[in-house]
Amino acid sequence: MQKNKLISIITIFCFVSIVLIPLGIALMWFLLDWKKIKKIIISVISTVLYAGIIVFILMLEPAYNTSGSSLPFSSSKGASAVETEFSSGKKTKKQEFSFEEPKKSKKSDLEIDEIENEKLPKSIKKQAGGESRRVIFTMLFFLFLLVLIIWQNLHNAKKRSKYENPYVNTDLYKLPLADDAKIPMVHYLRLRLSAGEQILFASETVQSGCEGDFVITNERVVIKNLKENVEYKLAQVEAVSSVSNSVMLLTCGDKKHYIFLNETQMPYALAVVRWAYKKFVTTNS
């Protein structure tokens, strides 16, 4: 559980940093047992935020140095021109006045823009191109990561849907269990039963490195795995709840046990524990 808390902290930090949102989404889907609806909402919101930041960066243009810009026309020409000639410091008789309109430029606006762009320093144009390529590569990486996450999630969903309980056909449990519900036959042979004891449910535990079984009878709950082999009478069970869609918390006195089950088995395990406690403990007390 300490490991899960550490991963949760790292994931939250990735979302807060904004820059590491893709990494946070990957950690959330692959390593955390949060509820699926919560994952979907966080993924959508963070994706929109990350995409908005990328678009904002893409819209930014590098600032060019406009100091010392030259006028696009010659200051020696105007709408009227006076040509006066002086020779040997004396005013000559020749004075010409021209009131001709300036000739219109034959170059289109597009050609003028092309000329102005050609005058930009090559270093500035290279810098602008580099910024655009970096943003495009970032977007492509994010899209690739998103596709990978979706594919992996669908693949895991298919694996979960194919899981079959090796001890009992869970389709025979009709949830929610009625007071007079019929419990199917459970084929579990690794537990010695007392007289009158009946197994109500059994399932494999799927914690990595600590695989085992979780068994519920009309008298007790049993946890058998590679690290522990404990059992509690039903009367000792104080609370049972789901921490996530695949982790169940069983509280017995001052002891707490986290039981990792396949997602498809969690509803049945919870229902049978509560049903057995109500039927065999509460009713008889």
Side-chain angles (χ1 to χ4, degrees), residues 172-277:
L172 299 178
Y173 294 96
K174 304 301 180 183
L175 300 181
L177 294 174
D179 293 340
D180 57 347
K182 294 182 179 180
I183 301 300
M185 178 70 69
V186 181
H187 303 279
Y188 188 83
L189 305 177
R190 284 177 282 182
L191 183 66
R192 180 175 295 180
L193 303 177
S194 60
E197 188 176 12
Q198 176 190 0
I199 298 178
L200 306 177
F201 178 81
S203 179
E204 296 174 319
T205 58
V206 295
Q207 185 179 6
S208 179
C210 192
E211 293 81 0
D213 298 312
F214 176 63
V215 185
I216 306 168
T217 75
N218 57 339
E219 297 180 4
R220 53 182 168 160
V221 292
V222 180
I223 304 170
K224 298 171 65 72
N225 55 46
L226 299 177
K227 293 183 179 180
E228 61 182 356
N229 186 2
V230 296
E231 59 180 63
Y232 298 96
K233 292 187 177 299
L234 285 176
Q236 294 177 287
V237 177
E238 295 184 357
V240 60
S241 61
S242 58
V243 177
S244 69
N245 54 359
S246 61
V247 180
M248 182 172 68
L249 173 61
L250 184 69
T251 304
C252 300
D254 58 347
K255 300 291 185 180
K256 292 185 178 181
H257 297 274
Y258 293 93
I259 304 169
F260 291 76
L261 300 170
N262 186 276
E263 291 183 9
T264 60
Q265 304 302 302
M266 177 65 73
Y268 302 103
L270 290 173
V272 173
V273 170
R274 291 165 180 168
W275 180 84
Y277 185 89

Side-chain angles (χ1 to χ4, degrees), residues 54-117:
I54 291 178
V55 172
F56 176 75
I57 295 175
L58 188 61
M59 292 175 63
L60 292 178
E61 296 180 358
Y64 304 121
N65 184 10
T66 56
S67 61
S69 59
S70 59
L71 296 174
F73 53 85
S74 176
S75 59
S76 62
K77 296 180 181 181
S80 62
V82 179
E83 184 179 350
T84 307
E85 294 182 0
F86 294 91
S87 60
S88 302
K90 296 181 180 180
K91 184 178 181 181
T92 62
K93 295 181 180 180
K94 185 179 179 181
Q95 293 182 351
E96 296 180 1
F97 296 90
S98 176
F99 296 96
E100 296 179 358
E101 295 182 357
K103 295 181 180 180
K104 295 182 178 179
S105 175
K106 295 180 180 180
K107 296 181 178 180
S108 63
D109 294 338
L110 181 60
E111 292 175 343
I112 293 174
D113 291 339
E114 291 177 353
I115 293 173
E116 291 179 352
N117 289 334

